[in-house]
Amino acid sequence: MAKKLKNYIGGEWVESITSDYIPVHDPATCELLAECPDSTAEDVDRAVQAATEGFDEWRRTPVMNRAQYMYRLKTLLEDRFEDISRMVVQENGKALDEARGEVRRGIESVDFATGVPFMMRADGLEDVSSGIDEFTMRQPAGVFAAITPFNFPAMVPLWFLPTAITCGNTFILKPSPQTPISMDILFEILEELDLPEGVVNLVQGGKASSMAIMEHPGIKGVSFVGSTPVAKLVYETCTRHGKRVQAQGGAKNYIAVMPDANMEASVKNIMGAAYGCAGQRCLAAAVVVAVGDAYDKVRDEVAKQAGNLRVGYGLNETTQMGTVVSAAAKERIENLIQRGLDEGAKVVLDGRNVTVAGFEEGTFVGPTILENVTPENIVAKEEIFGPVLSLMKAENFDEAVDLINNSRYGNAASIFTTNGGYARDFKYRVNAGNIGINIGVAAPSASFPFGGQKDSFFGDLHGQGSDSIEFYTERKIIIERWI
Amino acid sequence: MASLNTFGAILTYAINLEVQLRDYYQSAGNSGRAQGADKRRQTLERIRREYVVEITLEPIDGLDETNYAFDLKDPSENGQRSIESTAARFFADVSPKINVRQAQRALERCGKEHQELAQA
């Protein structure tokens, strides 16, 4: 029987007040995995109360001791590594290696949080005036929350929770109702840490609980990752309610391939960038701009390698690409492919109607390649969030840069080249938050902020890295004299 | 499973191989070799956890597990030598295909150990 998920509030597993439950299916097998409560504003309010009550004791817990919880969390995550990875596959549909990579990245954020005692230190200056010293100190700011997406159900919550609580804040997590189970496992693990009540809280649900988080006066700040329209809504709502907010939105990531690039190795890397996680990631390569006579070579090599990718059930180790998250996502992706074709694109490889033996009801979309794509085509402008790669031509490097900079998104962009001059010019001129040089997925490691510009990010301080310390702390300036 | 076409497929095959060898040597009463296999299993599990970083996940081709079948029913010295030679060949074949140097090194070490056991 499918597990009926609960919320975790004030150190206890509690049933939501709601009677509405959202079914969670394995998108490959269609098996009902769990039922997720569609928690209400009242559930959120209970979590905020618990987090508020827990804050004073927790902020007084020495930072070195708070960091010790992170070492223990890391150990427990390593012990449950395969369990969590396999659950990510089941609830999301991605391939097992991708799920393992995701969990690894999540643990990296826990590693990062062990360094909070060092990173929370501030600075000072003596004798700013005669006998007067001035210094800053960082303090935890209160109750923080994160609203996290379906595409990295284990990793994205770990971008936020470990650093937030090690800085001395208390925390409320609301994962995607499409993929809530890996966070149910994480909170089982967090329960083993014996944290004080209210330090970490889990509220499962959808829109009602998200809105309640954005509007609740007891929450100091909100971290969000999702689509651009929702990121914008989160940013506007949170700021209207006086919160600090970091809202990471959607993307349309371009990859420029120069004629001098090592074609086979570059395309091998582009495969992972375009089709990894079935294209359901904000760093997915969506458009390849081949410069000059690189175009034919790129198209032929991409078609060859994409055609060889093995689409299948994610728990099968030989699967290189799993499902998309739901039937609705599959329908949306396939509709966008059709609209792209209607607007003049031509299909090089068509992933629609792919079936996998034994998983006939699974929401598979195979690797798809479209060419003759113009900048005005819907597939060049809209985030598809599926395994669809569009090919464009540019006469020269400058034209490629213009094509990239004309996109309304600015999450990531990459160049494949063996020419250092092009590489330098690319990172200098391209307006995107994460730049890859011969790297298809320009994913910052935990110690760097996760960039994002234009319609891909709303806020000032990004997730991860030094930005996260700024986001989760309040700076106080002390001007001191003894008389 | 037939094709060893992903980092996970290769590492999982290697882990299972060491588990089989551990059990094989335990049955044969050779606890030293059983412990060696189990130590390699632990190392490979750690490598699978720690080096599966998404930016390095690229398709792998040209490897098939059917090329590395061995007979675990033969406990003789010749049988052991044959098994170890196959294991050594497996690790020698797969290590260059892994694009993470640290994981590659671990696989090379496993291969070297199996080679030494084959020649012992």
Side-chain angles (χ1 to χ4, degrees):
Chain A
M1 194 174 142
K3 185 178 180 182
K4 204 171 178 184
L5 301 180
K6 291 182 176 177
N7 293 331
Y8 186 81
I9 295 174
E12 289 181 344
W13 291 98
V14 292
E15 276 192 22
S16 166
I17 289 153
T18 190
S19 54
D20 295 333
Y21 279 76
I22 303 159
V24 183
H25 291 104
D26 181 324
T29 64
C30 301
E31 178 196 353
L32 180 66
L33 300 171
E35 292 179 298
C36 175
D38 192 1
S39 295
T40 64
E42 203 176 325
D43 290 309
V44 170
D45 189 54
R46 288 171 63 181
V48 176
Q49 278 181 37
T52 305
E53 284 165 19
F55 177 63
D56 191 56
E57 181 190 333
W58 182 240
R59 69 164 291 193
R60 289 171 189 277
T61 304
V63 64
M64 303 304 286
N65 295 77
R66 296 198 301 256
Q68 288 301 320
Y69 285 97
M70 293 301 107
Y71 288 105
R72 286 164 54 207
L73 175 59
K74 176 187 167 70
T75 303
L76 293 173
L77 285 169
E78 297 285 4
D79 290 347
R80 301 280 303 268
F81 188 91
E82 281 295 297
D83 290 348
I84 303 170
S85 301
R86 296 179 85 83
M87 181 46 68
V88 168
V89 171
Q90 286 183 275
E91 63 179 354
N92 171 279
K94 63 179 68 177
L96 187 51
D97 262 0
E98 293 166 344
R100 289 183 182 127
E102 163 175 358
V103 176
R104 184 82 257 144
R105 286 284 181 144
I107 293 173
E108 269 183 30
S109 294
V110 180
D111 295 338
F112 174 78
T114 62
V116 162
F118 174 78
M119 292 180 287
M120 259 185 96
R121 293 177 314 151
D123 52 16
L125 185 64
E126 62 180 15
D127 288 322
V128 290
S129 192
S130 291
I132 297 178
D133 304 329
E134 188 167 336
F135 54 93
T136 56
M137 62 184 190
R138 290 184 186 280
Q139 296 185 319
V143 180
F144 280 84
I147 302 168
T148 56
F150 72 82
N151 61 332
F152 285 91
M155 178 183 78
V156 174
L158 290 169
W159 283 355
F160 306 120
L161 184 148
T163 303
I165 67 170
T166 313
C167 284
N169 305 288
T170 53
F171 200 79
I172 300 165
L173 176 69
K174 196 216 73 65
S176 164
Q178 292 187 91
T179 54
I181 312 173
S182 41
M183 284 304 98
D184 193 71
I185 298 174
L186 176 74
F187 273 73
E188 281 176 12
I189 292 169
L190 288 168
E191 193 177 28
E192 286 185 50
L193 296 182
D194 280 329
L195 286 157
E197 289 80 9
V199 173
V200 290
N201 304 276
L202 174 69
V203 177
Q204 299 279 16
K207 191 175 175 186
S209 46
S210 296
M211 289 307 297
I213 284 170
M214 289 182 249
E215 293 172 351
H216 200 293
I219 295 175
K220 178 74 181 176
V222 174
S223 305
F224 171 84
V225 177
S227 68
T228 287
V230 182
K232 204 170 175 190
L233 173 80
V234 170
Y235 179 75
E236 288 170 354
T237 310
C238 287
T239 49
R240 198 164 57 244
H241 287 83
K243 299 185 197 317
R244 58 181 74 172
V245 54
Q246 46 186 195
Q248 294 178 219
K252 195 78 196 173
N253 304 312
Y254 281 65
I255 289 182
V257 182
M258 301 304 294
D260 58 69
N262 176 336
M263 213 53 73
E264 192 183 338
S266 300
V267 170
K268 208 170 184 182
N269 201 252
I270 290 169
M271 285 298 101
Y275 302 119
C277 302
Q280 296 182 119
R281 60 178 167 200
C282 59
L283 292 176
V287 181
V288 164
V289 181
V291 176
D293 62 9
Y295 185 84
D296 288 347
K297 292 178 213 160
V298 170
R299 183 196 53 206
D300 295 348
E301 192 63 35
V302 165
K304 186 179 98 183
Q305 291 193 28
N308 288 334
L309 285 178
R310 187 174 296 192
V311 180
Y313 184 37
L315 284 181
N316 182 340
E317 290 271 17
T318 64
T319 290
Q320 292 167 318
M321 204 178 95
T323 66
V324 296
V325 73
S326 65
K330 175 180 162 76
E331 188 182 348
R332 182 180 168 279
I333 293 162
E334 292 182 345
N335 283 342
L336 278 166
I337 294 171
Q338 188 55 51
R339 283 184 64 188
L341 296 175
D342 294 344
E343 291 180 17
K346 288 195 171 12
V347 70
V348 178
L349 186 65
D350 193 345
R352 295 172 295 177
N353 306 316
V354 161
T355 54
V356 174
F359 302 93
E360 284 75 9
E361 299 301 313
T363 55
F364 296 97
V365 181
T368 298
I369 303 167
L370 303 175
E371 67 172 343
N372 268 24
V373 174
T374 61
E376 296 74 32
N377 192 304
I378 185 101
V379 295
K381 291 192 298 189
E382 290 298 314
E383 183 177 41
I384 299 174
F385 225 56
V388 182
L389 186 63
S390 298
L391 303 180
M392 295 172 83
K393 287 180 190 174
E395 287 301 315
N396 52 45
F397 176 80
D398 288 341
E399 192 183 326
V401 170
D402 287 344
L403 280 168
I404 296 168
N405 282 343
N406 284 337
S407 169
R408 73 182 178 104
Y409 296 104
N411 217 32
S414 298
I415 185 170
F416 283 85
T417 183
T418 53
N419 181 313
Y422 285 136
R424 184 186 184 276
D425 229 17
F426 190 84
K427 62 191 175 193
Y428 190 86
R429 288 169 55 187
V430 167
N431 299 324
N434 306 292
I435 299 290
I437 309 292
N438 296 314
I439 299 281
V441 180
S445 64
S447 55
F448 287 86
F450 191 104
Q453 300 178 3
K454 300 195 279 186
D455 276 0
S456 295
F457 181 74
F458 302 91
D460 303 303
L461 296 166
H462 294 77
Q464 298 195 147
S466 53
D467 276 23
S468 66
I469 304 296
E470 294 281 342
F471 188 76
Y472 290 125
T473 56
E474 198 81 86
R475 263 185 307 178
K476 194 176 274 181
I477 316 298
I478 293 97
I479 306 148
E480 188 177 74
R481 170 169 68 174
W482 291 89
I483 51 176
Chain B
M1 192 197 297
S3 172
L4 300 169
N5 59 349
T6 64
F7 179 80
I10 289 173
L11 268 292
T12 300
Y13 184 81
I15 290 162
N16 291 339
L17 184 151
E18 297 296 353
V19 168
Q20 289 179 70
L21 288 183
R22 179 194 64 193
D23 296 347
Y24 169 77
Y25 283 122
Q26 264 169 359
S27 301
N30 191 335
S31 60
R33 285 195 174 194
Q35 279 172 13
D38 203 47
K39 188 162 178 287
R40 286 190 295 274
R41 171 193 64 82
Q42 287 176 35
T43 301
L44 292 165
E45 282 183 348
R46 182 179 61 76
I47 293 294
R48 186 177 63 182
R49 279 201 316 274
E50 292 185 358
Y51 291 101
V52 57
V53 180
E54 65 181 299
I55 57 170
T56 56
L57 291 180
E58 293 175 346
I60 293 165
D61 50 28
L63 296 170
D64 197 295
E65 69 177 58
T66 54
N67 293 330
Y68 308 104
F70 43 69
D71 180 10
L72 288 164
K73 288 182 189 131
D74 179 2
S76 70
E77 256 183 49
N78 274 347
Q80 291 182 15
R81 213 169 283 131
S82 163
I83 287 167
E84 293 295 349
S85 295
T86 305
R89 183 163 52 80
F90 164 76
F91 283 104
D93 289 351
V94 300
S95 54
K97 301 274 188 178
I98 300 291
N99 60 6
V100 184
R101 179 60 196 138
Q102 291 76 8
Q104 204 176 56
R105 184 181 295 114
L107 293 165
E108 285 168 1
R109 280 185 183 159
C110 289
K112 196 175 160 202
E113 285 181 30
H114 284 295
Q115 191 62 46
E116 285 168 6
L117 291 170
Q119 289 166 354

